């Protein structure tokens, strides 16, 4: 079995990018250790603060954010970072080659119930046409990403990573602390009978998306002529991992709960990295109209609808949305 850094070397990844991935991975091992210790490490529960998204921060959100942020800001190769938990981007080395954006702890509601949670990250090339401390550094479409990945803190700690080639999975061997290559190329089957959507939002969905879901629920007696099963983890990182491992479609469409915020998930550090991982595993990743990776961002914490996973099922959903 190959170590992560052997695979990256064999893949010909820029050594500076490898160094950056090493730093993110180091932070994730620290987080994984604390997650495993749970209550014993004093990492459960909420803080009294809210993040820029207006969400109450969990203790582990803050700990994970601080760990990743502090390690990245020490790296020469980092020009700037952006985090879900920070209001603005933060400049690092003005001559650094790369930008890193991350969601330090996705699926926060799962922290206190010992459920799946994860760290999502994306790496972009730094821009020389804007200052390091400008948020415009991050105003790049997801197609520019040079690496994207997540670390899933589940029964095992798994790193899923692409550096432009295949989407590979690595499992943390806790006996010696290395991530070992366990799946060389994750491949999403084009057809599926599994979907993930928060059905509690049904009454807020648009008419066409509702009709699509109604037809899935009709199973073999409806127009889709096959029985579907539903799974919902409350952590996108767990739901997308399921899709990458056994096919399926993860959907968080636009809804009318809050007119100021028609979509829930963030483009920069949720949509784009997941879209790159899914596309490089043969799946599709769309908003309700366009490939997620083609969106030109307009703000740091921009939100987008997401339909991602098995290619034919994403197409089926799009055909309902666009009629
Ligand atoms: O904020 C991100 C997130 O926690 C995702 O990981 C997850 O898919 C979603 O929010 C869960 O949202 P809901 O509140 O609809 O279950």
């Amino acid at each position: 079995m190959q170590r992560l850094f052997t695979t990256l070397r064999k893949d010909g990844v820029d050594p500076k990018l490898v160094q950056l991935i090493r730093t993110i991975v180091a932070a994730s091992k620290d987080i994984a250790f604390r997650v495993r210790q749970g209550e014993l490490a004093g990492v459960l529960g909420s803080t009294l603060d809210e993040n820029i998204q207006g969400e109450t921060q969990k203790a582990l959100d803050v700990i994970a954010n601080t760990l990743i942020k502090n390690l990245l800001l020490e790296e020469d190769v980092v020009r700037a970072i952006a985090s879900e938990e920070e209001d603005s981007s933060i400049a690092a080395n003005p001559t650094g080659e790369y930008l890193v954006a991350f969601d330090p702890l996705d699926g926060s509601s799962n922290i206190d119930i010992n459920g799946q949670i994860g760290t999502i990250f994306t790496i972009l090339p730094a821009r020389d046409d804007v200052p390091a401390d400008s948020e415009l550094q991050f105003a790049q479409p997801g197609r520019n990403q040079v690496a994207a990945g997540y670390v899933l803190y589940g029964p095992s700690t798994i790193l899923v990573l692409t550096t432009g080639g295949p989407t590979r999975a690595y499992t943390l061997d806790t006996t010696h602390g290395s991530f070992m290559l366990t799946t060389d190329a994750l491949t999403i089957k084009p057809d599926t009978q599994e979907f993930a959507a928060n059905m509690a939002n049904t009454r807020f969905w648009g008419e066409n998306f509702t009709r699509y879901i109604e037809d899935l629920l009709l199973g073999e007696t409806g127009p889709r002529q096959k029985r579907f099963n539903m799974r919902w983890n409350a952590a996108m990182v767990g739901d997308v991992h399921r899709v990458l491992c056994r096919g399926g479609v993860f959907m968080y469409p636009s809804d009318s709960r809050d007119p100021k915020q028609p979509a829930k998930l963030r483009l920069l550090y949720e949509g784009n990295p997941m879209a790159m991982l899914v596309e490089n595993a043969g799946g599709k990743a769309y908003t309700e109209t366009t490939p997620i990776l083609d969106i030109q961002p307009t703000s740091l914490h921009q939100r987008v609808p997401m339909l991602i996973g098995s290619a034919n099922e994403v197409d089926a959903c799009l055909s309902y949305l666009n009629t």
Side-chain angles (χ1 to χ4, degrees):
M1 230 182 262
Q2 229 171 60
R3 282 168 199 259
L4 166 65
F5 297 104
T6 309
T7 315
L8 293 175
R9 205 177 49 247
K10 285 191 176 165
D11 283 347
V13 178
D14 169 19
K16 290 188 171 175
L17 183 54
V18 173
Q19 171 58 30
L20 189 45
I21 292 170
R22 195 182 285 278
T23 301
I24 295 169
V25 161
S28 79
K29 287 187 206 170
D30 195 328
I31 298 167
F33 176 77
R34 291 168 200 247
V35 168
R36 249 196 341 271
Q37 293 291 96
E39 190 119 40
L40 303 176
V43 296
L44 306 190
S46 298
T47 66
L48 296 175
D49 298 326
E50 278 190 355
N51 64 14
I52 179 80
Q53 331 281 345
E55 299 159 346
T56 305
Q57 286 180 308
K58 299 280 188 177
L60 200 57
D61 285 326
V62 177
I63 293 167
N65 185 51
T66 308
L67 276 168
I68 301 172
K69 177 171 82 172
N70 289 349
L71 284 182
L72 286 176
L73 291 177
E74 281 174 12
E75 281 295 338
D76 279 351
V77 296
V78 177
R79 178 93 50 108
I81 63 168
S83 162
E84 185 193 3
E85 300 299 335
E86 303 281 341
D87 298 6
S88 320
S89 60
I90 305 173
N93 176 9
T95 58
E97 287 83 354
Y98 294 111
L99 310 171
V100 186
F102 54 95
D103 178 353
L105 233 279
D106 176 65
S108 303
S109 72
N110 280 357
I111 296 173
D112 293 347
I113 56 113
N114 201 21
Q116 285 186 327
I117 45 182
T119 297
I120 310 174
F121 60 91
T122 169
I123 305 178
L124 288 156
R127 293 175 60 173
D128 291 329
D129 55 337
V130 287
D133 61 0
S134 167
E135 287 192 0
L136 290 175
Q137 283 288 347
F138 291 90
Q140 306 185 36
R143 294 266 173 232
N144 287 10
Q145 293 172 110
V146 292
Y150 61 79
V151 179
L152 174 67
Y153 311 109
S156 348
T157 300
I158 294 183
L159 166 70
V160 175
L161 177 70
T162 177
T163 51
T167 297
R168 305 194 195 278
Y170 305 83
T171 303
L172 181 63
D173 187 332
T174 51
T175 57
H176 53 75
S178 299
F179 276 101
M180 308 301 294
L181 181 66
T182 40
T183 310
D184 201 34
L186 288 162
T187 309
I188 303 175
K189 293 177 291 177
D191 292 300
T192 184
Q193 291 175 240
E194 222 162 64
F195 72 97
N198 185 346
M199 299 295 286
N201 294 332
T202 305
R203 71 200 162 98
F204 302 109
W205 289 335
E207 205 181 298
N208 289 354
F209 187 77
T210 306
R211 201 161 45 79
Y212 164 69
I213 294 287
E214 280 168 358
D215 284 353
L216 295 190
L217 299 181
L218 287 173
E220 61 275 56
T221 63
R224 299 300 308 280
Q225 296 185 326
K226 55 181 179 175
R227 185 176 296 197
F228 282 83
N229 199 2
M230 195 209 79
R231 292 284 183 261
W232 186 250
N233 240 308
M236 177 174 59
V237 74
D239 283 319
V240 173
H241 191 67
R242 173 188 295 276
V243 167
L244 280 162
C245 291
R246 46 180 276 158
V249 62
F250 169 83
M251 300 175 285
Y252 215 115
S254 56
D255 63 53
S256 62
R257 276 178 292 176
D258 176 358
K260 291 197 294 298
Q261 196 175 285
K264 167 147 190 180
L265 300 173
R266 276 52 62 120
L267 172 63
L268 180 60
Y269 35 80
E270 293 180 320
N272 276 340
M274 290 311 198
M276 184 180 186
L277 291 165
V278 163
E279 280 201 4
N280 289 5
K284 280 197 171 178
Y286 267 67
T287 64
E288 287 153 348
T289 49
T290 38
I292 292 173
L293 295 177
D294 290 340
I295 299 172
Q296 175 61 45
T298 51
S299 66
L300 200 61
H301 298 291
Q302 180 177 349
R303 297 173 188 250
V304 284
M306 283 182 66
L307 313 168
I308 71 173
S310 291
N312 293 344
E313 199 50 44
V314 172
D315 283 342
C317 179
L318 290 170
S319 73
Y320 280 76
L321 290 174
N322 298 311
T323 49

